[in-house]
Amino acid sequence: MARRREQVLDAGIQVLGSEGARRLTYQAVDAAAGVPSGTTSNYFRNRAALIDGIVDHLQALERRDWENFAAAAAPADAGELADAVTRFLRYATGPERARTAARFALYLEATARPELRPTLTRGRETVVGWGAEWLRRFGSPDPRRHCQILFDYMDGVAFHQLAFPTEDFDPGPGIRELLRGLLG
């Protein structure tokens, strides 16, 4: 039963990220999940509940990705951090393009539904904690603030690549320049 709910939520993220918030319907999610009609409505009584479920599920998926990223990256210096962030941005705008677009769609949803903000903020704060520790080790005088700046930049770069994709996407030079500026 839990697996079917997860399947519906994965499909919800896919629909939201690839087709947009207006196409996020029970029918679209059922079709994307390959489940019988009415399955999504059995788990989520209304659209708001579906979006709440997607927010929670997306946060869990992104936390897992960031934990894997942090474990695999283990950068020894700012240059290695720039390389790792570049790889992550390519992943987020390539294979996980729909998930990243869904996250941005949920940010926009939070403008109308402020109750979504605490969950979305908690996810980001966890990642800022990890990144701030790296920046502290690399000499940042204000690691938390600098990490927030880095993540804001990463969000902007990812958003731009999603909206205006380029074949030769290389966020590396900008990431390196930003880190040089932050770390002196």
Side-chain angles (χ1 to χ4, degrees), residues 147-165:
C147 190
Q148 289 169 337
I149 291 168
L150 174 62
F151 284 179
D152 287 346
Y153 181 80
M154 289 171 63
D155 278 346
V157 168
F159 185 82
H160 193 270
Q161 177 62 13
L162 293 176
F164 306 101

Side-chain angles (χ1 to χ4, degrees), residues 9 22-23 34 51-52 61 71 103-104 110 134 150 178 184:
L9 289 170
R22 297 182 105 188
R23 296 277 303 139
I51 289 173
D52 291 344
L61 292 172
R103 179 169 40 90
F104 288 131
W134 284 336
L150 174 62
L178 178 64

Side-chain angles (χ1 to χ4, degrees), residues 2 8 21-22 47-48 62 96 124 134 143 149 155-156 176 178:
V8 165
R22 297 182 105 188
R47 189 172 190 278
E62 290 197 333
E96 289 300 332
R124 180 178 168 109
W134 284 336
I149 291 168
D155 278 346
R176 280 188 276 290
L178 178 64

Side-chain angles (χ1 to χ4, degrees), residues 43-104:
Y43 289 104
F44 304 99
R45 68 188 182 288
N46 55 41
R47 189 172 190 278
L50 175 59
I51 289 173
D52 291 344
I54 289 172
V55 167
D56 291 339
H57 189 60
L58 182 65
Q59 291 298 304
L61 292 172
E62 290 197 333
R63 180 181 176 91
R64 183 199 66 208
D65 278 358
W66 274 104
E67 287 172 349
N68 292 338
F69 168 73
D77 58 32
E80 287 184 13
L81 177 60
D83 292 343
V85 169
T86 298
R87 282 191 306 275
F88 186 82
L89 280 169
R90 285 184 174 140
Y91 169 76
T93 59
E96 289 300 332
R97 179 182 188 82
R99 189 189 309 167
T100 302
R103 179 169 40 90
F104 288 131

